[in-house]
Amino acid sequence: MYAADGVGLAACQVGVDLAVFVFDCPDDDGVVTRGVVCNPVLELPEGSERRLDDGDEGCLSYPGAFVDCARPDTATVRGQDATGADVEFTGTGLLARCLQHETDHTQGTVFGDRVSTRNRKKLRKQMEAAAEEYPEGWPADC
């Protein structure tokens, strides 16, 4: 995660078949939260509480590529930490996006699955243009 200048990393991104992710990410107020979440369960606002943030998003699965991806601006994730103790993290802004993004990975979804066909094509083009900057095996071998 740090080698790739990322704010989160799911186990599946480095070849580990577990529902686990780590993160080190600021929220809207600049407060940095770090953690490990095993078996994450995501809770998102609904109805009048739900506001979307259509911000830029990137992913280690699409190195060098970024497109807008609408996500709720607040998110809570519950699970267990590395010792099995219950954990809960709630975030806004980038932290909310990170919690959603990494939970998606543990369920076999990448953010490219959540964007329009047009943005998916844009992602692919950006990734292909940046391919020479990322060695084979990146980020797992970094």
Side-chain angles (χ1 to χ4, degrees):
M1 172 179 75
Y2 296 122
D5 291 326
V7 295
L9 183 69
C12 62
Q13 292 179 280
V14 292
V16 177
D17 189 21
L18 295 172
V20 177
F21 70 85
V22 296
F23 66 99
D24 183 345
C25 185
D27 65 11
D28 265 351
D29 297 322
V31 176
V32 175
T33 304
R34 295 173 185 86
V36 175
V37 183
C38 305
N39 305 312
V41 176
L42 188 64
E43 181 181 314
L44 300 172
E46 295 180 5
S48 64
E49 301 288 314
R50 184 179 171 100
R51 285 178 281 294
L52 293 180
D53 171 11
D54 194 21
D56 222 17
E57 192 162 330
C59 182
L60 301 179
S61 299
Y62 295 94
F66 298 86
V67 297
D68 288 343
C69 180
R71 292 194 185 261
D73 66 352
T74 302
T76 297
V77 69
R78 293 177 184 83
Q80 294 78 40
D81 67 11
T83 69
D86 289 340
V87 293
E88 177 179 314
F89 299 98
T90 298
T92 58
L94 183 58
L95 180 55
R97 182 174 296 279
C98 176
L99 297 174
Q100 294 170 71
H101 181 113
E102 299 307 332
T103 298
D104 274 355
H105 275 303
T106 69
Q107 298 170 354
T109 300
V110 293
F111 94 100
D113 298 332
R114 295 197 176 273
V115 300
S116 67
T117 300
R118 181 173 178 243
N119 273 352
R120 198 171 306 116
K121 288 178 183 177
K122 185 177 173 182
L123 259 180
R124 175 70 52 196
K125 278 185 164 184
Q126 288 178 11
M127 185 177 79
E128 289 171 359
E132 291 181 11
E133 298 175 37
Y134 299 93
E136 189 166 332
W138 184 91
D141 296 338
C142 291

